[in-house]
Amino acid sequence: MSPGKLAVILGLGVAAVLIIQSGDPLDTWYPVWRETGLLARAVVCLIAGASIFTLGWLHGFLFGPLELLRGPDDVGYIVENGRSKAQAANEVRRRRRTGDLPPVYPNGWYRVLDSHMLRRGEVRSVTVLGEQVAVFRGQDGEAYVVDAYCPHLGANLAVGGQVVGNCIECPFHGWQFRGTDGKCVKIPYAEKVPEFAKVRIWPSCELNGQVLVWFHCDGEDPQWLVPEQQEITTGEWVYRGRTEHFINAHIQEIPENAADIAHLGHLHTPAIVSGVDLRYTNSKTWEFLRHDWKVQWEPEAEPNKHCSQMLVKHALTVFGSTWHLLDVCVLARQVGPGVVFLLIEHSFLGRGVILQCVTPVEPLLQFVTHTIFYQSNIPPLVPKFILKAESIQFERDVMIWNNKKYISKPLLVKEDSAILKHRRWFSQFYSENSPRLQHQRNTLDF
């Protein structure tokens, strides 16, 4: 239970006690209330409390952001025979064959957290690309990302560390490291700070309401920038919600869906009301509702060869007739391996963007967020419905990704040609030294 709800309940309880007690101010002001029995007073208090709770829920439903935060075991697994979700997920992970995988960490920009999650003077611990990092906001308002472990004796700077000015202070011995360059500027008990005392910093940027870091296996500087969405910066488009999912697959599997045009006609044609469990999505109950898709994927040319575009045209058919009110055009522009701008445009329902960010946590564990910003003059229910619908379609893909094997040399037909084209395009994000998954042989050694 959230602190806010707990406070409301406690407040109502105290108010009820005060009201029920004889001799309170209400006895003087309202003779009718004084003559009311104890049971009737209790009923009135309960009705008032329920009304306040209902109004609060209704306000959140109509005007608050939609936030669907799924855990690693919540989506994409079939739970049978009395097993828990965690047991089902662990069994799939243990038994699944991974295939001949590409390198696990492509070079590029990755989201670490949303800007509103990091207040001035706050430190957050984040796992990204198999590393622990400390993300903190200095007193200058800038966000900084450094290695989590202090080079002195290995304390985690994000666990108990404090922000001092624009530095982060180690909770173990009080060493202070500057966010701009990682240099140690203070050791409380030492006469002099060694020149070589520093913590590794991660190149980072903050835009579109997100903090991102740059990764390159050879330590090279950023080779491109993530574009700024001007409507977010100016406030024309406002935050309307986000979803979070964990995907147990190689990172390349997720963007490759953009070029897998054929899967849309099979996996995503059943109506969203039929749910996400692929065993039941083709139920005859909802077969009168269908999604129709027209998709085209192409890589961009220089100087934006790190980008690609997918144009999606969606139509909803009801008993074979198209409902043009729900005709939606989406331009999905991928920038590097980890960021996608899903630009939504509708003649009646307005404009906005869903930022899809894929961040590797471990070699075969991806953290995927969808954050929607939409026109401020459009009722919040519209973008929240769009985000919910997108989440349902995405979770159908999750059920595939969490259980599939990566095929390095797939059996394709000519209609699948865009998949190989996408793999050639995506290969630019790998270098000779890009890390690969190391398998450990099972032995009987104890």
Side-chain angles (χ1 to χ4, degrees):
M1 181 179 294
S2 67
K5 290 182 179 179
L6 184 59
V8 170
I9 292 172
L10 290 175
L12 289 173
V14 171
V17 170
L18 292 175
I19 290 172
I20 292 172
Q21 291 292 327
S22 60
D24 64 11
L26 289 177
D27 286 339
T28 304
W29 298 339
Y30 300 102
V32 175
W33 179 264
R34 186 171 59 244
E35 297 173 1
T36 303
L38 186 64
L39 180 60
R41 292 187 182 190
V43 170
V44 170
C45 290
L46 288 174
I47 293 174
S51 299
I52 293 173
F53 180 82
T54 302
L55 288 173
W57 176 87
L58 188 61
H59 181 273
F61 176 76
L62 293 176
F63 304 108
L66 173 67
E67 296 188 339
L68 300 173
L69 314 179
R70 309 298 195 194
D73 308 324
D74 288 342
V75 179
Y77 300 102
I78 295 176
V79 180
E80 293 178 327
N81 302 324
R83 295 178 300 175
S84 66
K85 290 182 179 180
Q87 288 172 329
N90 288 334
E91 184 173 346
V92 170
R93 295 174 192 139
R94 180 168 54 87
R95 294 185 176 182
R96 186 180 62 173
R97 298 180 63 184
T98 57
D100 185 13
L101 297 172
V104 291
Y105 298 144
N107 303 320
W109 288 98
Y110 297 99
R111 170 197 173 275
V112 289
L113 46 73
D114 291 346
S115 296
H116 71 267
M117 298 177 179
L118 190 68
R119 298 187 298 271
R120 192 185 299 264
E122 188 176 16
V123 187
R124 296 289 297 271
S125 176
V126 180
T127 303
V128 55
L129 298 142
E131 301 278 358
Q132 293 286 321
V133 297
V135 188
F136 69 97
R137 192 177 296 282
Q139 297 303 328
D140 61 356
E142 296 292 323
Y144 301 100
V145 184
V146 300
D147 274 355
Y149 299 113
C150 179
H152 177 213
L153 284 174
N156 192 321
L157 300 174
V159 181
Q162 301 293 319
V163 176
V164 180
N166 299 321
C167 301
I168 186 167
E169 182 182 81
C170 177
F172 201 8
H173 297 90
W175 290 32
Q176 293 180 10
F177 299 93
R178 197 160 52 204
T180 52
D181 56 9
K183 180 172 173 46
C184 182
V185 296
K186 181 180 179 181
I187 301 176
Y189 54 87
E191 294 182 1
K192 182 181 179 181
V193 177
E195 282 295 322
F196 55 83
K198 63 186 305 183
V199 66
R200 180 171 69 125
I201 65 168
W202 290 62
S204 63
C205 67
E206 186 171 11
L207 75 169
N208 303 327
Q210 298 179 331
V211 179
L212 303 103
V213 295
W214 168 263
F215 168 81
H216 195 285
C217 63
D218 297 320
E220 295 184 9
D221 292 333
Q223 298 168 356
W224 70 83
L225 298 176
V226 176
E228 181 180 32
Q229 191 70 44
Q230 288 294 330
E231 293 88 346
I232 297 176
T233 304
T234 60
E236 180 182 346
W237 294 353
V238 296
Y239 173 76
R240 293 303 189 195
R242 81 178 192 277
T243 64
E244 296 180 357
H245 294 86
F246 289 88
I247 315 298
N248 284 284
H250 189 278
I251 183 175
Q252 187 174 314
E253 300 271 24
I254 299 170
E256 191 169 287
N257 257 26
D260 185 4
I261 298 170
H263 94 284
L264 290 168
H266 188 77
L267 190 65
H268 298 293
T269 291
I272 58 174
V273 290
S274 62
V276 302
D277 192 325
L278 303 185
R279 295 172 294 175
Y280 312 117
T281 51
N282 285 302
S283 168
K284 293 186 178 298
T285 304
W286 301 105
E287 65 181 0
F288 66 93
L289 283 172
R290 311 291 283 178
H291 299 283
D292 289 336
W293 310 89
K294 292 183 179 179
V295 181
Q296 182 179 0
W297 178 87
E298 290 291 339
E300 295 186 21
E302 291 281 11
N304 296 320
K305 68 173 186 176
H306 60 279
C307 299
S308 67
Q309 293 191 14
M310 177 178 68
L311 179 62
V312 181
K313 294 182 178 180
H314 167 269
L316 179 69
T317 61
V318 182
F319 293 109
S321 299
T322 302
W323 280 29
H324 293 290
L325 178 64
L326 294 179
D327 288 354
V328 180
C329 289
V330 178
L331 177 62
R333 186 172 192 245
Q334 176 142 6
V335 182
V339 180
V340 181
F341 292 76
L342 297 163
L343 294 162
I344 304 162
E345 186 166 352
H346 191 278
S347 57
F348 175 70
L349 300 178
R351 299 171 59 240
V353 65
I354 296 177
L355 301 178
Q356 174 183 292
C357 298
V358 184
T359 301
V361 179
E362 299 172 357
L364 295 180
L365 181 62
Q366 318 303 323
F367 183 52
V368 183
T369 61
H370 292 85
T371 307
I372 189 166
F373 293 87
Y374 217 79
Q375 282 182 239
S376 59
N377 59 344
I378 297 294
L381 278 178
V382 172
K384 288 164 68 173
F385 172 78
I386 292 173
L387 183 61
K388 177 62 177 178
E390 191 279 338
S391 175
I392 292 172
Q393 294 286 15
F394 185 76
E395 288 182 6
R396 293 180 183 178
D397 289 310
V398 173
M399 196 166 188
I400 297 293
W401 291 323
N402 280 3
N403 296 274
K404 77 184 296 292
K405 170 187 174 182
Y406 180 83
I407 304 294
S408 58
K409 297 179 180 179
L411 176 62
L412 304 175
V413 295
K414 66 177 183 178
E415 288 79 6
D416 296 322
S417 60
I419 295 175
L420 289 182
K421 192 174 183 180
H422 185 278
R423 290 192 175 188
R424 288 193 294 269
W425 172 79
F426 200 88
S427 66
Q428 68 181 296
F429 306 119
Y430 301 126
S431 303
E432 181 180 354
N433 296 320
S434 292
R436 291 182 175 272
L437 181 65
Q438 299 295 322
H439 291 282
Q440 182 176 359
R441 292 178 178 270
N442 293 325
T443 70
L444 295 178
D445 297 334
F446 292 93

